């Protein structure tokens, strides 16, 4: 009888440990699922912010490109009365600036979202090129006013 009680108590002990282990495993699985869900939500939020940044930048860029086009058109109007030799030289320089402005517009339109790292690099290079174009336009119009 003592042996029976010992075996029975041992079985109950192992069964209890097994149940406790199952609960711990179930809790661990539930916790891991919660963490994965939160990580996915954070990733979705980060992606939404990234895409919003891309769209905002595109809108700002479109405005800058439109402003550049307006400056070019205004300058073309002003040089219409200049001498033929000067007008040809101005038109050539303006055509080059206009081409660069059009190229920038195409570059922005052709950009395909390829992740934050690619976006950061693209944005930095694009901003640099836009700044250079803006300076060239400003310098050209100031020198020729």
């Amino acid at each position: 009888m003592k042996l029976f009680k010992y075996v029975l108590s041992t079985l109950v002990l192992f069964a209890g440990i097994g149940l406790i282990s199952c609960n711990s495993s179930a809790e661990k699985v539930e916790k891991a699922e919660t963490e994965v869900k939160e990580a996915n939500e954070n990733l979705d939020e980060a992606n939404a912010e990234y895409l919003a940044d891309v769209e905002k930048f595109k809108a700002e860029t479109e405005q800058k490109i439109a402003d550049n086009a307006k400056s070019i058109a205004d300058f073309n109007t002003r040089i219409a009365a200049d001498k033929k030799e000067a007008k040809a030289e101005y038109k050539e320089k303006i055509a080059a600036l206009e081409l660069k402005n059009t190229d920038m517009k195409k570059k922005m339109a052709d950009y395909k979202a390829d992740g934050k790292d690619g976006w950061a690099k693209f944005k930095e290079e694009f901003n640099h090129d836009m700044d250079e174009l803006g300076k060239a336009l400003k310098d050209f119009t100031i020198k020729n006013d």
Side-chain angles (χ1 to χ4, degrees), residues 50-51 54 111-120 122:
Y50 156 67
L51 293 174
V54 170
Y111 176 76
K112 302 293 182 227
D114 66 349
K116 286 185 179 182
D117 291 338
W119 170 243
F122 173 84

Side-chain angles (χ1 to χ4, degrees), residues 4 8 11 16-17 26-27 29 33 42-43 47 79 88 98 108 131:
F4 179 72
L8 185 60
L11 286 174
I17 291 173
E27 288 171 0
V29 168
E33 288 173 348
N42 290 340
L43 180 61
N47 282 334
I79 65 167
E98 194 169 26
M108 187 75 250
D131 289 345

